[in-house]
Every structure is written in C-alpha cells, then in structure tokens.
Amino acid sequence: AQRVTQPEKLLSVFKGAPVELKCNYSYSGSPELFWYVQYSRQRLQLLLRHISRESIKGFTADLNKGETSFHLKKPFAQEEDSAMYYCAARDRQGSSNTGKLIFGQGTTLQVKP
Amino acid sequence: DTAVSQTPKYLVTQMGNDKSIKCEQNLGHDTMYWYKQDSKKFLKIMFSYNNKELIINETVPNRFSPKSPDKAHLNLHINSLELGDSAVYFCASSSASSGTGAQHFGDGTRLSIL
C-alpha cells in the first residue's frame, strides 16, 4: 500500500542548529515527492518538490531512492521556521497532475531562541 | 485576491444535522480536492474532481457528497453529521496539465459536532 511516514511528531531545536525532518515512503513505481508547510494560523503551502531540486528558505530535500527517503534539511534553523511540516507523495500519471497526494503524519518543528 | 477560499471558516452544529462547506478557486485550475485533517493533524484525501468530473473517491461514507457546479467550485455536503466528522476540512486545487502540479490549499473549515 502507498504510504508516507514521518517518524517524528515533534522536533525541537535551538536557533542556529541544523534541522533534519525525516520522511520515508513506500510506493510502487517512482512517485513525485513534496514537502508542504503550515505556519501558525496560515494555510498549507508547498515548500519543495523533488523534481525541481530547489532550495526554498534555506531548506533542501534530496530524494534517496535506495532508502526511499526524502528528508528535509536546513543547516541553520531560524525561529520563523517553526511550523508543521508535511511530506507528501503522488503517483506519476504521465503528464497529468491529477493524482492524489498521500501525506505523512506531519512533524511540528519548534525552533527555540 | 485569495486563491482558494472556503466558507465557512468555522462550523459548529449538532449531531444529525446536514451542512455544506463551499470552496472556490480563482487560479484557473481544473482540478479540485477535499481533504480531511483529523485531531491528530493527519491529512487524508477524500475526493477529487477534474473538469467537474469525479476522479478520486476514497473510502468515505456516502453521507458525504461533493458537488462541482463548475471548474472553479467544489462544495461538500454532509448529511446526518456524526461526532466522528469533527475535523478540519481543506479544499485544494491544481492544474492537471500545466505548471508544477502543486496543490494550493484553502484556509480550512473547522467542523465541530456537538
């Protein structure tokens, strides 16, 4: 069955410390992977896609097919990074983007001053 | 200039009632979704419509009926509300064939059943 797992419910770090939010997936084929973020009192929004291999707000995520992981990393955490982070996966369906997103359970990142 | 808007933001009602949540997007997307976020913050897809046609229908009680009058709207009607329906319901939209395919979410509707 398709599954996305975020093993940590809460990750608490001090400002300036490195951050790694873990995500593992179990999918047949090669899914697309995403990280979404929900800041306090704001809507869920896209942070990163594995396809674009970009760095957003200092965050990067590398797809490791061997380990079926897509961990989110940032070398120096900032207080404004405190939020709920969701890893999500979607089946590739040719050129269509209509596939459903399967979300992980979410990890709350708390960055302390 | 809200991209995906849901109404109402909060909905408090009694068990057994029927209620609707509305969703509209002004992004020109052709695909819309409903997700349910439970008390443990777990997000799960419920339905998806592409060009007003149902394309994803997860295992959801048939008390839940989505309706898409046009590509920009996807409403969710819930009959005979139960305590377990208490959750935050998120609407989202995306473009099936262009752009990143990223889904854009609304602010959510917090449904509380008394």
Side-chain angles (χ1 to χ4, degrees):
Chain A
Q2 300 159 331
R3 191 164 59 242
V4 176
T5 305
Q6 293 177 248
E8 300 144 328
K9 201 168 177 178
L10 171 67
L11 183 61
S12 188
V13 301
F14 284 101
K15 178 182 169 181
V19 167
E20 182 178 67
L21 294 154
K22 291 186 167 48
C23 172
N24 289 88
Y25 63 93
S26 173
Y27 251 79
S28 55
S30 297
E32 293 180 83
L33 276 298
F34 304 84
W35 276 99
Y36 280 80
V37 60
Q38 188 175 26
Y39 299 103
S40 178
R41 304 185 191 285
Q42 293 187 29
R43 62 185 61 190
L44 198 64
Q45 55 189 284
L46 178 70
L47 181 64
L48 285 178
R49 300 177 305 141
H50 90 269
I51 289 176
S52 50
R53 302 181 65 83
E54 56 208 338
S55 172
I56 303 291
K57 299 184 180 184
F59 284 97
T60 57
D62 290 321
L63 179 61
N64 186 324
K65 291 185 180 178
E67 295 181 358
T68 59
S69 68
F70 188 56
H71 303 327
L72 184 68
K73 299 177 185 178
K74 185 168 181 177
F76 307 104
Q78 303 298 315
E79 286 180 71
E80 54 266 29
D81 295 329
S82 295
M84 175 76 114
Y85 291 80
Y86 288 96
C87 183
R90 180 176 69 197
D91 277 330
R92 291 179 197 263
Q93 295 180 326
S95 57
S96 172
N97 292 322
T98 57
K100 64 183 178 185
L101 279 175
I102 304 288
F103 282 90
Q105 301 93 317
T107 299
T108 299
L109 174 63
Q110 186 183 73
V111 182
K112 296 179 282 192
Chain B
D1 62 344
T2 304
V4 181
S5 59
Q6 298 177 225
T7 53
K9 203 163 181 175
Y10 299 95
L11 186 52
V12 181
T13 189
Q14 301 221 326
M15 216 163 47
N17 284 350
D18 303 338
K19 290 293 176 187
S20 291
I21 308 172
K22 295 187 176 180
C23 179
E24 176 182 4
Q25 54 91 8
N26 62 6
L27 295 165
H29 289 162
D30 52 11
T31 307
M32 296 184 72
Y33 311 80
W34 276 110
Y35 288 86
K36 180 179 179 181
Q37 186 182 47
D38 62 23
S39 58
K40 296 181 181 177
K41 302 286 189 185
F42 186 55
L43 263 173
K44 191 167 182 210
I45 182 81
M46 297 174 71
F47 301 103
S48 175
Y49 272 72
N50 174 250
N51 285 318
K52 301 194 296 175
E53 283 194 32
L54 182 67
I55 56 170
I56 294 173
N57 185 353
E58 291 295 290
T59 309
V60 176
N62 56 16
R63 297 183 294 104
F64 289 79
S65 51
K67 283 190 173 52
S68 182
D70 55 58
K71 287 194 300 185
H73 296 84
L74 180 61
N75 303 323
L76 184 65
H77 188 76
I78 316 170
N79 288 328
S80 303
L81 281 157
E82 300 177 358
L83 288 175
D85 297 333
S86 294
V88 182
Y89 292 84
F90 286 97
C91 177
S93 72
S94 69
S95 172
S97 55
S98 64
T100 65
Q103 293 182 16
H104 296 251
F105 284 79
D107 286 330
T109 295
R110 185 175 293 277
L111 174 62
S112 299
I113 310 301
L114 305 176

